[in-house]
Structures are given as structure tokens and as C-alpha cells.
Amino acid sequence: MTSAALIEIAEVTKRYPGGHEALSNISLNIKPGEMVFLTGHSGAGKSTLLKLIAAIERPTSGHIMVNGQNVGRMKRPALPFFRRNIGLIFQDHKLLYDRSVFDNVLLPLHIQGVIGNDAAKRVRAALDKVGLLGRERARPITLSGGEQQRLCIARAIVSRPALVLADEPTANLDDAYARDIMDMFRAFNEVGVTLVISTHDQDLIHRYGGRKVTLAYGKQVEG
């Protein structure tokens, strides 16, 4: 792996049981501080690629290096430590609906052993960044779709990660909410956070000007 790459994806193929090949021979380098958009039709392999980078799934062949670590060979006990420096935002939210907004954002810090006043300050700072500071005692079920997406972003950034992976973060949101969320991502990027964002929205890509990587039927056709 070159020292310039935060993420190196080399000849990666992902094949599921039954023979479906979600990704075929993907090679891609992402440098620290880049904002990269993964685009392509539904089922092109965008979500699969993000899950491979986060070591949620493993490649069938090829290798993925993230910050010098081969994530495909990582042992299960090492995964929580690896993910401490990654913010994950996926379409199904995975919010805890029996806990408050505050407690949802607090959870990653508790997992890392950050407690007390330091944890509370970091949670409130993250909620403030996404415009939810006034809703910290609310339950996620009472939030709008856009607010739930903001909550996911707050939870993803509370650990101050160097890398954020976001899967269709503006899907099903109106244009104003989508722009607000992308403005947040751009602000994170401007302070050095590396962003890999999957999206169908070509207008957003054009507006925010990151690097574009296009997938089609599991193959890389651009970027």
C-alpha cells in the first residue's frame, strides 16, 4: 500500500452464496481528506463496497487495506477497535428506539470507554452540529425522516472519526434536507475528514464537486 492512500482496494470481487457477484475486480485508492461519491444504479454494488471497507463483509478475492490494515483478514476481536475511527451511516439507521436521542449518540462513546462529563460534552457538541441539540430527550420515533438521518450523522461523528462511510444519506429526503446534510458533510471534509458517500443524486455530486466513482452491475466504469 502506498503511503498516500488511506483506503486501497485491489482487484476485489464479492460473490454471495448462490453465485451472485455483487462486485467484480474493483480497484480503487482513496487518499486522506478526499470526498468520494460512489454512484450507479440500484444494485450496482455501492452498499456492498461500503460494507467491505467497514469490514462488515469480507471480499471473496482481492484485498482492502484501510489505514494500513488488511480488513479482509482482520480477526473478529479486532473489529471494534478498527471501527472506532470510522463513522458509519447506513440506510436502515439502526437507531435504538427505546432510548433517547442523547443516549443513541452516547452509545459509541460508551463502547469506547468514554464516560462522564467528557462524553456528555461530546454528545451535545455532535447534536449541536446537526441541529438536534434541542431534541436530546426525545425518542427517535418522534423525529422526522430528516431528523433521524441527522441523528445517525451525529452518532457517526461523535467519536471524531477520520473516515465517514455514508450509504445513500440523502435518500427519501426533500431537497432542502438533502442540501443541509451535504453541507454538513462538506464541513466535515473541510476539516480533514475523509468521506465515501454512495448516492443516486447526480445533481448533488455536481453541486458538491467530489470525486466520482461509478459502478454498473458490480463493475467499475468510471473513477
Side-chain angles (χ1 to χ4, degrees), residues 102 106 109 115-125:
F102 184 95
L106 181 65
L109 296 180
I115 58 174
N117 288 336
D118 183 36
K121 287 178 182 177
R122 288 171 63 172
V123 169
R124 292 192 175 98

Side-chain angles (χ1 to χ4, degrees), residues 99-153:
R99 302 192 190 187
S100 68
V101 163
F102 184 95
D103 286 341
N104 268 267
V105 180
L106 181 65
L107 184 61
L109 296 180
H110 269 186
I111 291 170
Q112 294 180 22
V114 181
I115 58 174
N117 288 336
D118 183 36
K121 287 178 182 177
R122 288 171 63 172
V123 169
R124 292 192 175 98
L127 289 172
D128 191 31
K129 283 182 181 177
V130 302
L132 287 178
L133 189 55
R135 305 298 305 277
E136 64 179 65
R137 293 187 179 181
R139 294 295 174 98
I141 197 69
T142 68
L143 304 181
S144 69
E147 288 171 330
Q148 288 187 12
Q149 192 68 291
R150 288 166 180 261
L151 175 55
C152 292
I153 292 170

Side-chain angles (χ1 to χ4, degrees), residues 54-56 58 71 74-84:
I56 294 170
R58 295 177 185 261
V71 299
M74 201 170 289
K75 303 293 186 185
R76 188 174 296 275
L79 292 176
F81 299 96
F82 166 70
R83 294 193 188 121
R84 283 184 178 183

Side-chain angles (χ1 to χ4, degrees), residues 31 38 50 52 55 65 67 91 95 113 115 118 144 157 169 172 207-208 214:
K31 296 179 181 179
L38 300 178
L50 290 176
L52 291 174
M65 305 289 288
N67 201 24
Q91 291 183 57
L95 295 173
I115 58 174
D118 183 36
S144 69
I157 65 167
N172 305 314
R207 183 181 297 135
Y208 289 91
T214 305

